[in-house]
């Protein structure tokens, strides 16, 4: 959530930062225009309230004077009643205006950091670096590899749940588990994250705290008749572990890693990646979350991204690091790096991790605060990133490890997690 004081103090610069996203900041029906008008209305109501209070004080003083002099104060008493009625009506208006203003603020995205490159689409994202040598020979897509090996069953997934669900069998099921364990061990043991195990269901307050609600309600699975949603990412429950808490600066940064299943309706992706397991309604992911100070946010982003990169390097999967431009960055993000793994069947890099700094945006929404040097509570900064999306990792391992005899070589670091298995072969 944007800072209310900054809305007034830095209105023009904040408006310019939002305009870089392609947000409508001029149209009368835009969320930004609505917030600006409601802010003006709130200030008007405050002025009216202060005037009424001054009038009440004046009349009250006059009543006291008249009564003290033994004079009739009935007219002033009647005037005081009218002032009280107006004050009550004004308080109700102010309460409604505050609720409307607070709801409107939730619709405003995070203003971008100055370092985010401008752009009109994802084509304007900026490549930062590459690692590894992409495989350039002809490789079948992972859905053919998986079916030929008997380890991916798309028909069973569709029968059990519908489209965009898959059943993994044998080596694929074990590799999914192996990838999860390997990632958690790496982040907890080598990178110093505290592992947590969290619910895969969150309430609306928790979803609002990290920015999934109200903006992305159509992408969520809601439990019928309950204030409960299946989580789209572990970012939601892990960040909200500190919901409405005040931390000491000495405790920061707090760094957690977590595995969860994730659930997304993918309402806006019809026709995209319909085959295979690149885009599923249910998928597994290991998430990295930092709770830190605003001063550390950008340096922590570099650190968090490097930790996600370490997974790809250990698996020997070629990838590139991309900085998202102003038109492609997420609603809650202030600055984002994507990691894209090489898929030889598609002859291109595909996203496997998105690492973002949110500044104090989520801290304000979720009430996550820390005490600064003066002891005053301030909204904390938050970050998160996939470390990594497990299903997409499995896809990359199948394609990059595929051999001409139809088998798949298993990365060396995964072999201990798969009982020493070095290669996946048919049956």
């Amino acid at each position: 959530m944007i800072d209310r004081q900054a809305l007034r103090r830095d209105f023009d610069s904040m408006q310019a930062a939002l305009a870089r996203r392609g947000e409508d900041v001029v149209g009368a029906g835009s969320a930004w225009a609505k917030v600006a008008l409601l802010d003006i209305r709130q200030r008007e109501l405050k002025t009216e309230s202060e005037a009424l209070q001054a009038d009440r004080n004046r009349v009250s003083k006059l009543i006291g004077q008249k009564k003290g002099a033994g004079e009739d104060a009935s007219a002033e008493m009647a005037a005081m009643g009218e002032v009280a009625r107006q004050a009550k009506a004004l308080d109700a208006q102010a309460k409604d205006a505050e609720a409307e203003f607070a709801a409107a603020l939730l619709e405003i995205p995070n203003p971008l950091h100055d370092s985010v490159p401008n752009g009109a689409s994802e084509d304007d994202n900026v490549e930062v670096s590459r690692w590894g040598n992409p495989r350039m020979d002809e490789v079948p897509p992972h859905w053919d590899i998986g079916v030929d090996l008997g380890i991916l069953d798309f028909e069973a997934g569709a029968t059990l749940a519908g489209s965009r669900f898959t059943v993994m069998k044998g080596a694929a099921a074990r590799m999914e588990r192996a990838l999860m364990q390997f990632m958690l061990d790496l982040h907890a043991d080598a990178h110093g994250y505290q592992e947590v195990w969290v619910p895969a269901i969150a309430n609306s307050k928790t979803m609002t705290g990290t920015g999934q609600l109200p903006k992305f309600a159509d992408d969520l699975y809601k439990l019928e008749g309950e204030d409960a949603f299946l989580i789209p990412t572990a970012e939601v429950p892990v960040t909200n572990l500190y919901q409405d808490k005040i931390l000491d600066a000495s405790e920061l940064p707090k760094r957690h890693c977590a595995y969860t299943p994730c659930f997304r309706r993918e309402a806006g992706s019809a026709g995209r990646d319909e085959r295979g397991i690149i885009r599923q309604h249910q998928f597994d992911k290991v998430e990295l979350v930092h709770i830190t100070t605003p001063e550390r946010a950008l340096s922590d982003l570099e650190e968090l991204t490097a930790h996600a990169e370490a997974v790809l390097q250990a698996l020997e999967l070629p990838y590139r690091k991309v900085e998202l431009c102003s038109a492609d960055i997420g609603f809650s993000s202030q600055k984002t790096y994507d990691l894209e793994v090489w898929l030889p069947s598609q002859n291109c890099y595909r996203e496997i991790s998105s690492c973002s700094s949110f500044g104090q945006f989520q801290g304000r929404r979720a009430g996550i605060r820390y005490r600064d040097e003066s002891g005053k509570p301030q909204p904390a900064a938050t970050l998160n990133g996939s470390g990594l999306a497990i299903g997409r990792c499995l896809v990359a391992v199948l394609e990059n490890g595929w051999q001409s005899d139809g088998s798949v070589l298993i990365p060396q670091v995964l072999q201990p997690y798969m009982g020493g298995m070095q290669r996946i072969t048919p049956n």
Side-chain angles (χ1 to χ4, degrees), residues 66-322:
K66 284 199 169 187
K67 284 187 175 182
E71 299 177 8
D72 180 19
S74 57
E76 286 74 18
M77 295 286 287
M80 178 64 84
E82 176 60 21
V83 170
R85 186 193 66 76
Q86 292 178 20
K88 184 176 181 180
L90 194 62
D91 286 344
Q93 292 179 48
K95 185 176 180 179
D96 291 343
E98 166 60 24
E100 194 174 357
F101 181 63
L105 279 180
L106 295 177
E107 299 282 354
I108 303 296
N110 198 354
L112 300 177
H113 191 269
D114 291 343
S115 64
V116 173
N118 288 327
S121 72
E122 63 181 16
D123 295 333
D124 296 317
N125 292 340
V126 177
E127 183 176 300
V128 177
S129 61
R130 292 191 182 197
W131 186 92
N133 298 311
R135 182 173 179 173
M136 304 305 293
D137 58 330
E138 191 169 327
V139 175
H142 70 275
W143 53 83
D144 286 343
I145 296 172
V147 169
D148 290 345
L149 290 173
I151 59 175
L152 295 179
D153 192 333
F154 300 104
E155 291 184 3
T159 298
L160 293 172
S163 62
R164 296 188 190 267
F165 291 92
T166 304
V167 172
M168 297 181 185
K169 299 178 178 179
R174 185 157 190 174
M175 183 177 289
E176 186 86 356
R177 175 162 53 91
L179 284 164
M180 179 262 286
Q181 291 179 288
F182 162 67
M183 292 176 194
L184 288 174
D185 286 348
L186 178 66
H187 296 314
D189 298 339
H191 299 153
Y193 287 78
Q194 182 189 51
E195 183 179 348
V196 291
W197 193 274
V198 292
I201 292 176
N203 58 34
S204 56
K205 181 178 179 180
T206 298
M207 286 289 190
T208 301
T210 41
Q212 279 70 33
L213 288 177
K215 182 74 171 179
F216 303 105
D218 289 345
D219 288 330
L220 302 174
Y221 283 103
K222 188 179 188 305
L223 277 64
E224 186 174 357
E226 298 184 43
D227 179 26
F229 301 80
L230 299 179
I231 61 169
T233 166
E235 166 200 351
V236 176
V238 177
T239 303
N240 277 282
L241 286 173
Y242 301 98
Q243 180 186 108
D244 296 328
K245 287 182 168 55
I246 301 177
L247 307 169
D248 289 331
S250 60
E251 299 179 63
L252 304 179
K254 286 188 175 291
R255 305 191 306 175
H256 296 296
C257 62
Y259 156 77
T260 61
C262 305
F263 305 88
R264 298 182 188 176
R265 293 184 59 217
E266 298 288 358
S269 62
R272 297 179 60 192
D273 299 309
E274 289 187 346
R275 298 194 67 181
I277 59 175
I278 290 289
R279 196 177 300 274
Q280 298 273 276
H281 290 310
Q282 177 183 335
F283 58 97
D284 295 316
K285 189 151 65 84
V286 168
E287 194 77 3
L288 306 176
V289 171
H290 287 203
I291 310 294
T292 188
T293 62
E295 295 76 19
R296 286 189 53 127
L298 292 184
S299 61
D300 272 27
L301 177 60
E302 301 296 332
E303 180 182 51
L304 184 150
T305 306
H307 293 157
E309 290 182 75
V311 177
L312 291 167
Q313 292 175 13
L315 293 170
E316 300 181 67
L317 296 173
Y319 70 92
R320 69 173 186 168
K321 176 181 175 181
V322 174

Side-chain angles (χ1 to χ4, degrees), residues 15 23-37 104 107-108:
Q15 179 171 283
E23 289 287 314
D24 179 8
V25 294
V26 180
S30 70
W32 178 251
K34 183 178 181 180
V35 163
L37 288 173
E107 299 282 354
I108 303 296

